[in-house]
Amino acid sequence: MTAGLRGWKRHLYEGGIRMPLIVRWPGRVAPHTESDLLAGHVDLMATAAELVGAKPPRNDGVSILPTLLGQPQTTKHEWMYWEIYEGPSPFQQAVRMGKWKGYRTGTKAPLELYDLSADSAEKNNIAAGHAAEVKAIEAIMAREHVPSPYYDAPEQPGKKARAGGKKKAAAP
């Protein structure tokens, strides 16, 4: 189901977020073209905008059209961030930064670190030996996390998390 990758739907491990993009565009995209470009659904709007000659909305990804057309991709993501309030715990965060992948289940929980170039199945947490990468990924997570009025993001698993991770919505 996940080709040996850890996790599944609603997990921020690779089995839950890694997905191929399949494109068919005869005469433009060469058949059987492969790329290891770090991209996501957020890049589709920028790509579509470039295709029609329009300016993409601000902060809406990067166009992956050069990669699709077999040209050098000069604009790339330095990192990608995910956050979800469901899955195997009430809260998950993940960052992909080059070959590095960080994952945790609380805003101050210990970070799991994986070198996806050597361990795409995320079996070996190597955080203890890579302090600089852990610090860089934790900084991204802290900067990108936006507290929700509807859900608690626990600092650490088992602490401050309400049942199901949900807060009561304020009355209108």
Side-chain angles (χ1 to χ4, degrees), residues 83 85 91 107 142-153 167:
E83 179 175 302
Y85 288 88
F91 177 78
T107 59
R143 183 178 65 241
E144 296 302 315
H145 171 67
V146 177
S148 169
Y150 304 106
Y151 298 96
D152 283 332
K167 286 184 181 180

Side-chain angles (χ1 to χ4, degrees), residues 59-121:
N59 297 326
D60 214 1
V62 299
S63 173
I64 62 170
L65 187 59
T67 295
L68 295 176
L69 299 178
Q71 300 166 357
Q73 182 77 37
T74 56
T75 305
K76 299 178 182 180
H77 293 285
E78 290 181 44
W79 50 266
M80 293 189 83
Y81 173 78
W82 296 267
E83 179 175 302
I84 188 171
Y85 288 88
E86 56 185 58
S89 70
F91 177 78
Q92 301 172 77
Q93 284 180 304
V95 168
R96 174 80 189 267
M97 186 175 69
K99 69 179 187 173
W100 302 107
K101 167 82 174 287
Y103 172 88
R104 69 183 180 186
T105 58
T107 59
K108 294 186 181 358
L111 185 82
E112 298 172 21
L113 182 70
Y114 303 97
D115 175 351
L116 295 181
S117 68
D119 180 20
S120 62

